[in-house]
Amino acid sequence: MANVISDEMIEYVGILAKLELSEEEKEQAKKDMGRMLDYIDKLNELDTDGVEPMSHVFPVKNVFREDVVENKDDRESILSNAPKKKDGSFFVPKTVE
Amino acid sequence: MDIMALTAVELAKKIRQREISAREAVEAAFRNIEKQEAVLHSYVTLDREGAFRRAEAVQRRIDAGEEVGILAGVPVAVKDNICTKGILTTCSSKILENFVPFFSAEAMQNLEQAGAVLIGKTNMDEFAMGSTTETSYYGVTKNPWNTEYVPGGSSGGSCAAVAAEECAFALGSDTGGSIRQPSSFCGVTGLKPTYGTVSRYGLIAYGSSLDQIGPIAKDVSDCAAILEAVASYDSKDSTSIKRESYDFTSALVEDVKGLRIGIPRDYFTEGLDIEVKAAIEKAIRVLEERGALVEEFDLNFVEYAIPAYYIIASAEASSNLARFDGVKYGYRTEEYEGLHAMYKRTRSEGFGAEVKRRIMLGSFVLSSGYYDAYYLKALKTKALIKKAFDRAFERYDVIAAPVSPATAPKLGESLSDPIQMYLGDIYTISVNLAGLPGISVPCGVDEKGLPIGMQLIGNCFEEKKIIRAAYTWEQSRTYQRCPIAKKEVG
């Protein structure tokens, strides 16, 4: 395997991905990601100098609209799926001391 | 009469003419479901009560002589990543085990406008990440042609339900082949429209720049009619395209005289199963005999599509799936201390292995220091692939190709080697990268008795050309029902 993923790297990516991996999962992830990157490195064979990166296949522009409220008050509906709620709001652990 | 053997369009006609009632159609679908679901597991959720209620409502309008839509009373199954108001929508993930949307996807609303009767939500690979429907948290779906095999994926439940006649037609979604590949494996017809044709509003996002909703049905005529019903410009989807025309059914013409069909030489090389190759070449010969001008050409960049796809799709997935954090909907972990621990534990417990794998890869390729080397490189590769197709469509109206290198694999054989599984998407993935329309049509079975599909690819906005070619091909053969469906309805 050409790409060796370090423990620090898996730790860092885990933080970015907001995932808490078990030791076993970390080892597997290191292997999987290494193999995947080896495979992806195939793209290095391609000369892409001067090629514009294409994020969208059509020449589309931003879609703007007037800043007018169109939806009705959906608070109750939106909250209906919340795992925890309180006083018409989502309930989360304390974040600010 | 075997109601479920009819196509959606045929059934709709009989319902409008009051030969069959909408209720009878729903009853017929549920008879097949009761007989087969214990084995097949095409559905995550069935809504029997709601289906009958909706059927009665449609029937009342027909009885009153009101104008009804072209799919009025026809039972439809919808992939479980498409939001349906008041009906559980799980994406086949634990993290959405209790998510009941309070709105319907635009495509779903359009379907209801056309009178279709929703009967249930179909199984899929978790968050549409997979090619076999084996990554579903709710268990695998089996191929109705042979239950030792996978139905393909990620829209495996939708395709199995159509093949096994547990619905009249279905909606799927296609990010890298997820409509076309399982359609091929299940012997049904599936169409991925040009990017931006069907609104993505209410489609739970995987790779937003690639995702498209499309029809899965028994034949090309159904696909054209269903696409006409679900396609629309939608201001709620910022990538929705205002097309000049939403007519697709006028292309249902048996005529390919002068149609220029290109055969990418680099799709028919090693790695393509001999039986699959032979079946597709035979189908192409039929089109040639009907007057199509067939020519081989080199498409180029074929082997770069999969690595580019997995960078782009994983990057977009890592961003799209950030919304599943245990705050607004879905699963939340039981025990946690503090907000961040809650996020992390919720996601770690709620997502399956393949989803985590792609979120990790996506986070990595977008991280500082790697963004240019991976993500930008993939977007540049995408530009080259798009240009290769542009060049091909200067000379050809339609590209004919395989859908998948082989027919369906056995259950349990794919997940242990992800890269091997990804390679199976080689003929479908570049179509998503280039935003093109593609259709998968059945073109025979192999020695094992498993269906083979042919893919017809068109230039952007040229669905009509692939519909015409597919329809002409279809006229040369009769629809092959899968063995389960052929059994006498009790």
Side-chain angles (χ1 to χ4, degrees):
Chain A
M1 205 156 67
N3 287 280
V4 178
I5 308 294
S6 65
D7 290 334
E8 292 74 38
M9 179 54 88
I10 280 295
E11 207 62 48
Y12 175 61
V13 175
I15 290 167
L16 293 176
K18 287 255 182 298
L19 288 170
E20 187 179 80
L21 303 182
S22 68
E23 285 310 313
E24 205 181 311
E25 280 181 311
K26 274 182 205 161
E27 283 311 307
Q28 189 61 43
K30 274 160 66 179
K31 264 187 243 160
D32 287 347
M33 201 181 292
R35 276 198 68 200
M36 198 58 199
L37 294 181
D38 286 351
Y39 175 59
I40 284 171
D41 281 341
K42 192 174 178 51
L43 294 185
N44 294 333
E45 295 169 10
L46 275 181
D47 179 6
T48 52
D49 279 354
V51 178
E52 239 351 82
M54 177 183 266
S55 49
H56 204 284
V57 283
F58 306 124
V60 289
K61 301 240 161 47
N62 275 338
V63 180
F64 294 107
R65 63 168 173 79
E66 291 305 314
D67 189 15
V68 181
V69 178
E70 288 171 359
N71 53 321
K72 54 184 194 311
D73 180 7
D74 288 326
R75 179 181 290 257
E76 281 312 308
S77 308
I78 290 167
L79 283 170
S80 67
N81 274 301
K84 275 194 174 179
K85 56 194 161 187
K86 194 182 174 188
D87 304 333
S89 303
F90 296 115
F91 189 81
V92 294
K94 195 170 183 178
T95 49
V96 187
E97 289 300 327
Chain B
M1 188 196 323
D2 190 349
I3 293 176
M4 297 313 291
L6 299 170
T7 68
V9 169
E10 288 167 352
L11 178 56
K13 197 172 163 202
K14 287 191 189 296
I15 291 173
R16 271 199 308 277
Q17 294 172 343
R18 301 176 68 185
E19 277 179 56
I20 296 170
S21 72
R23 184 183 180 83
E24 282 166 341
V26 172
E27 277 169 359
F30 274 99
R31 263 201 304 278
N32 284 355
I33 287 168
E34 272 152 29
K35 251 185 6 181
Q36 301 154 4
E37 261 306 88
V39 176
L40 294 181
H41 190 235
S42 310
Y43 290 89
V44 176
T45 302
L46 286 161
D47 183 23
R48 195 193 176 96
E49 224 174 274
F52 279 113
R53 208 173 46 237
R54 287 183 281 275
E56 299 294 356
V58 171
Q59 192 61 49
R60 273 196 297 276
R61 296 188 51 204
I62 293 170
D63 292 345
E66 285 177 41
E67 195 72 27
V68 288
I70 56 144
L71 295 166
V74 179
V76 59
V78 171
K79 189 175 182 180
D80 212 20
N81 58 351
I82 297 171
C83 285
T84 43
K85 186 177 178 177
I87 298 168
L88 191 67
T89 299
T90 69
C91 259
S92 285
S93 180
K94 180 185 178 183
I95 212 158
L96 285 176
E97 63 183 2
N98 52 7
F99 176 60
V100 180
F102 69 93
F103 66 98
S104 281
E106 189 71 5
M108 188 62 226
Q109 286 186 39
N110 290 345
L111 258 196
E112 286 180 335
Q113 199 69 39
V117 173
L118 175 68
I119 59 171
K121 304 297 293 291
T122 54
N123 200 17
M124 53 186 278
D125 282 294
E126 186 182 1
F127 283 102
M129 297 177 190
S131 312
T132 64
T133 312
E134 291 175 296
T135 70
S136 168
Y137 175 68
Y138 303 100
V140 303
T141 296
K142 291 176 180 166
N143 191 316
W145 286 76
N146 184 333
T147 52
E148 286 177 24
Y149 292 81
V150 305
S154 67
S155 310
S158 286
C159 295
V162 171
E165 300 175 4
E166 296 182 333
C167 60
F169 74 96
L171 287 189
S173 70
D174 193 315
T175 306
S178 283
I179 286 175
R180 289 159 289 155
Q181 184 255 33
S183 291
S184 158
F185 286 3
C186 291
V188 296
T189 301
L191 194 159
K192 179 236 167 248
T194 304
Y195 185 77
T197 299
V198 178
S199 168
R200 293 184 297 106
Y201 177 77
L203 169 68
I204 298 173
Y206 160 24
S208 311
S209 74
L210 309 160
D211 298 340
Q212 261 297 282
I213 293 173
I216 297 158
K218 288 194 189 80
D219 67 8
V220 180
S221 302
D222 273 8
C223 281
I226 298 157
L227 180 59
E228 220 164 84
V230 295
S232 63
Y233 171 71
D234 180 13
S235 59
K236 298 188 294 305
D237 170 2
S238 62
T239 57
S240 178
I241 303 271
K242 219 175 246 168
R243 292 181 59 135
E244 278 167 26
S245 161
Y246 288 92
D247 155 54
F248 300 103
T249 48
S250 69
L252 296 166
V253 179
E254 188 180 349
D255 176 21
V256 287
K257 265 184 225 76
L259 192 80
R260 298 164 304 166
I261 299 180
I263 314 293
R265 230 175 257 123
D266 26 14
Y267 274 19
F268 288 83
T269 53
E270 54 170 327
L272 179 61
D273 178 87
I274 299 171
E275 286 183 81
V276 173
K277 184 169 183 253
I280 292 161
E281 286 173 344
K282 203 172 144 194
I284 292 167
R285 269 199 302 280
V286 169
L287 290 171
E288 197 169 17
E289 283 159 17
R290 305 274 163 115
L293 308 170
V294 176
E295 191 179 277
E296 289 189 4
F297 74 105
D298 293 313
L299 180 61
N300 297 325
F301 303 115
V302 172
E303 68 268 42
Y304 302 106
I306 296 176
Y309 170 85
Y310 278 94
I311 294 172
I312 293 168
S314 298
E316 292 182 12
S318 74
S319 168
N320 277 325
L321 271 60
R323 59 170 62 89
F324 303 104
D325 56 7
V327 173
K328 302 175 292 301
Y329 31 64
Y331 172 80
R332 180 189 285 196
T333 186
E334 296 285 322
E335 285 179 42
Y336 47 85
E337 214 164 289
L339 189 65
H340 281 271
M342 185 199 80
Y343 287 155
K344 285 180 117 177
R345 204 156 297 161
T346 293
R347 291 163 61 78
S348 302
E349 292 168 6
F351 291 135
E354 184 61 29
V355 175
K356 286 185 204 173
R357 185 156 36 227
R358 296 196 197 185
I359 293 176
M360 292 285 283
L361 180 68
S363 304
F364 174 78
V365 298
L366 290 176
S367 65
S368 96
Y370 297 96
Y371 181 90
D372 286 8
Y374 291 106
Y375 187 64
L376 270 190
K377 184 80 182 178
L379 292 185
K380 288 177 179 178
T381 307
K382 176 180 168 175
L384 293 174
I385 291 168
K386 171 77 174 152
K387 206 174 269 173
F389 275 108
D390 286 347
R391 269 196 301 274
F393 286 116
E394 281 169 15
R395 292 167 60 189
Y396 309 111
D397 298 304
V398 169
I399 292 173
V403 179
S404 182
T407 53
K410 275 199 164 157
L411 287 158
E413 284 183 352
S414 305
L415 299 188
S416 57
D417 188 349
I419 291 179
Q420 199 54 42
M421 182 173 80
Y422 301 163
L423 288 175
D425 300 332
I426 185 145
Y427 308 125
T428 49
I429 257 176
S430 50
V431 170
N432 298 79
L433 288 172
L436 309 169
I439 190 168
S440 169
V441 282
C443 67
V445 291
D446 69 2
E447 273 184 352
K448 289 176 281 190
L450 296 169
I452 300 168
M454 168 170 67
Q455 183 177 206
L456 297 168
I457 303 163
N459 202 356
C460 290
F461 309 116
E462 295 193 339
E463 277 84 355
K464 281 170 128 175
K465 285 182 180 168
I466 57 173
I467 288 171
R468 180 152 68 99
Y471 180 80
T472 302
W473 154 245
E474 196 177 69
Q475 299 312 304
S476 72
R477 64 196 301 274
T478 49
Y479 175 68
Q480 302 288 306
R481 296 172 79 188
C482 77
I484 287 183
K486 263 192 285 195
K487 277 185 204 152
E488 206 57 45
V489 177

